[in-house]
Amino acid sequence: MLLAQYPRQVYLASREQERPSRRHVTTSGIFGPVTDVVCLTDFPPRIHTNGSTVEVRAVGKELTFAAKAEPAPRLLLSGNPANIHQVTETTGVNADVLARTLLDEGVYGELTDELAAGYVGVGSRTP
C-alpha cells in the first residue's frame, strides 16, 4: 500500500535531496578568506523560483533566498568550482553572503588546492 502512495520516483527524488554530503570539507577559513568554492553534494541541488523567493534544496535542507539572487546560487551550485568575486561581478548579487550561508549549511566547501586538482581538465575555476 505504501508503494501506491509513494511511487518510486517520489522516493528517489526525496532520497536524493535528503542525503547528506559524504564529501563534506570544513576549512572554516583556516587558509584565509574563502575565495573559491565548489558544491559537494552527491546529487545536484534543486533550485526552484517561487514568486519572490528562490528555494534551494540539498543535503536534507531547504534554504530560501530573495528571487533577485537567483543567478548567484545557480552559478555557485553548478557543480563547477566558482570564484565568489567573479560570481558577484557576473550576477550583480553579493555572492559573499550566499557563500557563507551555503558553506555553513554544508552544501559546498572551500575549493582547496587538493579539491581543485580533481577538476583539472573538467572545467574552468571561473563561472
Side-chain angles (χ1 to χ4, degrees):
M1 300 315 157
L2 280 176
L3 185 57
Q5 290 177 320
Y6 301 102
R8 181 174 60 172
Q9 295 84 0
V10 172
Y11 165 75
L12 292 174
S14 292
R15 180 177 175 262
E16 191 176 292
Q17 294 309 306
E18 293 172 5
R19 184 177 182 154
S21 176
R22 293 176 292 153
R23 302 177 289 171
H24 188 73
V25 176
T26 305
T27 55
S28 301
I30 196 166
F31 302 111
V34 178
T35 58
D36 297 278
V37 293
V38 66
C39 184
L40 298 175
T41 61
D42 291 344
F43 299 98
R46 297 204 186 232
I47 302 172
H48 177 71
T49 304
N50 188 12
S52 63
T53 62
V54 172
E55 296 171 354
V56 175
R57 292 184 184 144
V59 298
K61 299 177 182 185
E62 185 174 312
L63 307 170
T64 304
F65 302 102
K68 66 181 179 180
E70 181 181 3
R74 289 200 182 275
L75 286 175
L76 291 168
L77 299 171
S78 69
N80 295 314
N83 177 275
I84 296 169
H85 178 72
Q86 288 179 337
V87 170
T88 298
E89 285 185 353
T90 301
T91 64
V93 174
N94 183 350
D96 287 324
V97 174
L98 296 172
R100 178 55 45 204
T101 300
L102 294 167
L103 279 168
D104 290 347
E105 295 297 331
V107 177
Y108 65 55
E110 179 178 3
L111 185 68
T112 62
D113 289 340
E114 291 76 17
L115 279 174
Y119 288 91
V120 172
V122 174
S124 155
R125 283 187 61 165
T126 59

